[in-house]
Amino acid sequence: MLLLSETYQPSAMTAPAHPPVYPRVDSGVLGDPFVFAQGQPFDAYARLRSQAPVSWQDVQLDNEPGFWALTRYDDVMRVDADPETFSSQRGGILMAYGAPEMRHPLLFRASVDAMINMDAPWHLQLRKEHMPYFTPRYLAGLKEKVAGETTRLLDQMAGLGECDLVETLSSRLPLYTLCEILGVPEADRPKFLTWMHFLEIAGNAAAERRAGGGPMEMTPEIMAFIQAFNDAIGEMFEYGRHMLHKRRADPQPDLMTAIARATLDDELLRDEYLDGSWLLIVFAGNDTTRNTISGSMKLLTEFPDQKQKLIERPELMGNAVDEFIRMVSPVIYMRRTATREVELRGQRIAEGEKVIMYYGAANRDPEVFPDPDRLDVERDNASKHIAFGYGPHVCIGKRVAQLQLEEVYRQLLPRFPDMAYTGGMDIAPNNFVHAIRKLPVKFTAERR
């Protein structure tokens, strides 16, 4: 069973094979993580959609090439729906995987050897083994547990009057839900907070290192952090392998068992693919929901009429959640590699060139979503958003994310109707996920 990491090679291309037919607009913006520390560049997205919907971006990171950026809804849908022409496996789904001399070998290997990077037939084989797990009956039971945990977290913050929503709620509920899905024993769950903390710091440090352009000074403090980081990452993968092998020997009714007993070409997954599956579920099962919970509170503060509408008409919550997800678009992009020469909106793209789909731009395309920058909890096509992707790679956990968001705001709005974002949001320099690290809020505290 071949490993994807054994065949991964960055492209040697530094310029497109065919000249761009659209003007250069905001070139370099999309490759700069620090631009995204101010929030997604929706103004730049709008310029690209109108002036250069298939735009060559010649920023190069960590020996990776420039890429074609797609910002219109129809183009993103077309690429996402055509994995034969636009491959995940040939180059991975990230803009860059780190310069070889800078990569953490275990993190790099696990990030490449994962289902999200596979094409058919392997990708479909693994999806078929995971999808039956998310049955309506199971999701109903999970929703009940999520409701209880949401109440517990709101009880804890009720007397504060002001807090960081990320610390008290947004970061905690998704990790609880993830641990429930995986079947992680309660005693082990605090470890996940530590692991996520180090994964977030690692991403921020990588962005800062690229911006600095030089080697990091190895002070005693940095060396101590690197040691702590390596210890935490090693523990994370060791725990994952231990639990997955345990599930192979003793199956349980949980997603961890489905992962552990999955097969490719009738063979159980190699340990390297178990590492990739573990990293993917730990990261993807937490980050997007966390950031959408936080981003939704900011939106409700900016559009108080829509917030009041939800308080008065809670039956709108299901549609409102789709609208929250459309506007936040927590996963910023996915990358594909052209497997043959192809034309997109008049632009010729050569085999081997990289194409990046910007979901936040597509989800605010005015040709699909009128007045796209306005929150409208009654928007009649809010469910057409593609924040979870589209086609064969659509996120298998999207319903889990939706039910968490629905439960949070069904409970939070009637209980704390005056809760509002107060400014000072902190966003990580990350151009892959919209990573909100801090969101201060105020509300009328409950008397104990």
Side-chain angles (χ1 to χ4, degrees):
M1 188 185 299
L2 187 68
L3 293 176
L4 304 185
S5 58
E6 292 173 346
T7 62
Y8 170 82
Q9 289 184 348
S11 172
M13 297 178 182
T14 57
H18 303 294
V21 299
Y22 294 102
R24 288 183 178 264
V25 176
D26 290 288
S27 186
V29 167
L30 302 181
D32 183 354
F34 285 90
V35 168
F36 290 79
Q38 308 304 312
Q40 292 197 56
F42 291 113
D43 289 345
Y45 290 164
R47 288 190 292 271
L48 286 163
R49 276 195 309 265
S50 63
Q51 301 173 41
V54 184
S55 167
W56 178 257
Q57 299 281 318
D58 54 9
V59 170
Q60 297 178 41
L61 296 170
D62 299 333
N63 298 325
E64 294 285 353
F67 56 88
W68 297 103
L70 306 183
T71 47
R72 288 194 183 173
Y73 183 92
D74 289 346
D75 297 333
V76 171
M77 291 271 282
R78 175 184 168 185
V79 169
D80 237 353
D82 185 4
E84 290 187 6
T85 306
F86 300 99
S87 167
S88 302
Q89 192 163 316
R90 283 190 57 171
I93 55 91
L94 296 180
M95 186 182 296
Y97 285 88
E101 67 276 9
M102 296 291 190
R103 291 173 186 155
H104 186 288
L106 186 51
L107 273 177
F108 165 72
R109 181 175 54 70
S111 66
V112 175
D113 293 327
M115 182 176 72
I116 198 171
N117 292 312
M118 292 178 179
D119 293 332
W122 284 4
H123 176 255
L124 185 58
Q125 288 177 32
L126 289 183
R127 282 187 75 92
K128 282 183 177 178
E129 298 199 41
H130 292 2
M131 281 297 290
Y133 181 72
F134 295 100
T135 63
R137 180 179 177 183
Y138 173 78
L139 291 173
L142 181 64
K143 184 174 183 179
E144 186 175 338
K145 294 178 180 179
V146 167
E149 180 65 6
T150 299
T151 301
R152 189 185 72 81
L153 291 170
L154 294 180
D155 285 346
Q156 287 185 339
M157 61 190 289
L160 299 177
E162 58 182 317
C163 64
D164 171 16
L165 194 69
V166 176
E167 170 61 27
T168 56
L169 178 64
S170 305
S171 66
R172 296 184 179 275
L173 182 64
L175 278 177
Y176 164 85
T177 306
L178 173 64
C179 289
E180 284 293 321
I181 291 172
L182 291 173
V184 175
E186 291 219 20
D188 293 339
R189 296 184 180 189
K191 297 175 182 178
F192 281 72
L193 282 171
T194 301
W195 298 336
M196 287 305 304
H197 171 71
F198 276 105
L199 287 173
E200 290 161 8
I201 289 177
N204 301 342
E208 290 166 4
R209 185 169 62 245
R210 292 183 188 119
M216 186 183 300
E217 182 183 356
M218 300 305 290
T219 64
E221 293 79 11
I222 289 177
M223 292 180 68
F225 167 76
I226 291 174
Q227 183 61 53
F229 173 79
N230 287 335
D231 290 346
I233 296 304
E235 180 191 42
M236 181 181 77
F237 283 110
E238 182 180 354
Y239 180 87
R241 277 200 191 185
H242 168 74
M243 293 299 291
L244 289 165
H245 280 285
K246 186 176 177 180
R247 289 299 197 276
R248 279 184 179 174
D250 182 19
Q252 301 294 321
D254 54 39
L255 182 58
M256 202 179 307
T257 298
I259 294 170
R261 297 174 67 84
T263 59
L264 287 178
D265 296 337
D266 298 321
E267 294 182 30
L268 288 170
L269 296 180
R270 289 172 56 170
D271 281 351
E272 291 86 352
Y273 280 123
L274 292 183
D275 290 341
S277 297
W278 183 248
L279 178 63
L280 178 61
I281 195 69
V282 167
F283 184 80
N286 165 73
D287 209 65
T288 54
T289 307
R290 162 184 170 164
N291 293 310
T292 309
I293 291 172
S294 300
S296 299
M297 176 52 65
K298 181 174 182 291
L299 287 170
L300 289 170
T301 303
E302 293 168 341
F303 295 91
D305 62 317
Q306 299 301 298
K307 177 182 175 183
Q308 188 60 37
K309 190 178 291 186
L310 280 179
I311 292 171
E312 294 172 358
R313 298 173 59 193
E315 69 274 10
L316 295 175
M317 187 60 69
N319 194 71
V321 162
D322 277 325
E323 179 74 343
F324 295 158
I325 296 168
R326 178 191 74 83
M327 292 198 71
V328 174
S329 290
V331 175
I332 294 169
Y333 74 82
M334 285 285 171
R335 187 174 81 166
R336 301 289 187 261
T337 301
T339 61
R340 61 178 178 85
E341 182 142 326
V342 65
E343 186 172 300
L344 273 175
R345 205 171 287 274
Q347 176 63 59
R348 291 173 67 195
I349 296 172
E351 178 185 352
E353 291 182 345
K354 309 301 180 183
V355 177
I356 292 186
M357 304 170 287
Y358 281 89
Y359 295 119
N363 282 334
R364 298 203 184 197
D365 187 335
E367 292 187 6
V368 180
F369 304 103
D371 198 3
D373 298 322
R374 181 176 64 87
L375 179 71
D376 179 2
V377 298
E378 294 184 272
R379 187 179 296 275
D380 60 9
N381 68 344
S383 64
K384 287 186 68 175
H385 73 80
I386 46 176
F388 293 115
Y390 178 76
H393 274 274
V394 68
C395 176
I396 61 175
K398 69 175 187 178
R399 185 62 194 123
V400 175
Q402 289 170 323
L403 74 83
Q404 290 179 84
L405 283 160
E406 285 184 39
E407 193 57 45
V408 164
Y409 283 99
R410 281 189 194 282
Q411 292 196 35
L412 187 149
L413 289 179
R415 187 166 179 179
F416 307 113
D418 64 344
M419 181 179 286
Y421 163 60
T422 58
M425 178 172 65
D426 178 24
I427 307 172
N430 189 324
N431 61 352
F432 177 58
V433 294
H434 178 55
I436 301 172
R437 296 186 291 199
K438 182 179 181 181
L439 191 93
V441 295
K442 282 189 175 181
F443 54 96
T444 300
E446 293 179 353
R447 294 182 179 179
R448 293 192 181 277

